[in-house]
Amino acid sequence: MQKYPIVINTNTNLKTQKKNIRFEHELLLEIELVKAKKQSFSSWVKQACRNQINQRYNSVESVRTLDDNVEDLVRTDVDATLDNEAKALALYWLSRGLFHQQISNKLNKLEMKTMSGHAWTRVAVRSLCK
C-alpha cells in the first residue's frame, strides 16, 4: 500500500502565500501591452503592487515623518476599520524592522485599542501580524 503525504494548506509556505484572483479579459490585454516581453505576469503584478504601496508612502516626506504623523492615517470610528488600520500599521512597522514590543508601544501611543478594547501587547501584535 502506497502512502501519500497530507498537505494541510497548499496556499501557504514559510515565505509566501498564494492568492487566487480573477482578471477581466480587457485588463489582461492591457497588461500584456505594457509589460516587458520577457517579464513574467506574476512578477509584473507584484511590481505593480509594490509601486502602489510606494506611491502611498512616498506621498509622505519620509519614513520618519510617516511614523511621527501616523495618527493622521488612522482617523475612523469603525472598530473593524481600526483593526485593519492597526494591522496595516503593524505590518508596515514590522517590514521596517521593528519588534512586536516596539509596535505595541507605538499603537498604544496612538491610543489604539485591540478589538476587545485592551491595550496592545507584543503577543497581541504577533497574533495580529499572522
Side-chain angles (χ1 to χ4, degrees), residues 28-59:
L28 288 174
L29 289 173
E30 290 178 34
I31 291 171
E32 288 299 324
L33 289 173
V34 297
K35 82 173 182 63
K37 289 190 181 208
K38 292 188 177 185
Q39 186 178 20
S40 71
F41 179 78
S42 62
S43 68
W44 187 90
V45 171
K46 289 177 189 177
Q47 187 60 45
C49 292
R50 287 185 190 102
N51 290 343
Q52 282 289 342
I53 292 167
N54 288 336
Q55 185 179 13
R56 176 176 177 186
Y57 288 120
N58 285 340
S59 64

Side-chain angles (χ1 to χ4, degrees), residues 78-91 112 115 128:
V78 181
D79 286 343
T81 306
L82 275 175
D83 196 44
N84 289 339
E85 291 289 341
K87 185 171 185 170
L89 290 170
L91 290 172
M112 295 181 77
M115 287 298 284
L128 182 69

Side-chain angles (χ1 to χ4, degrees), residues 1-5:
M1 184 160 138
Q2 192 173 9
K3 293 184 179 181
Y4 296 98

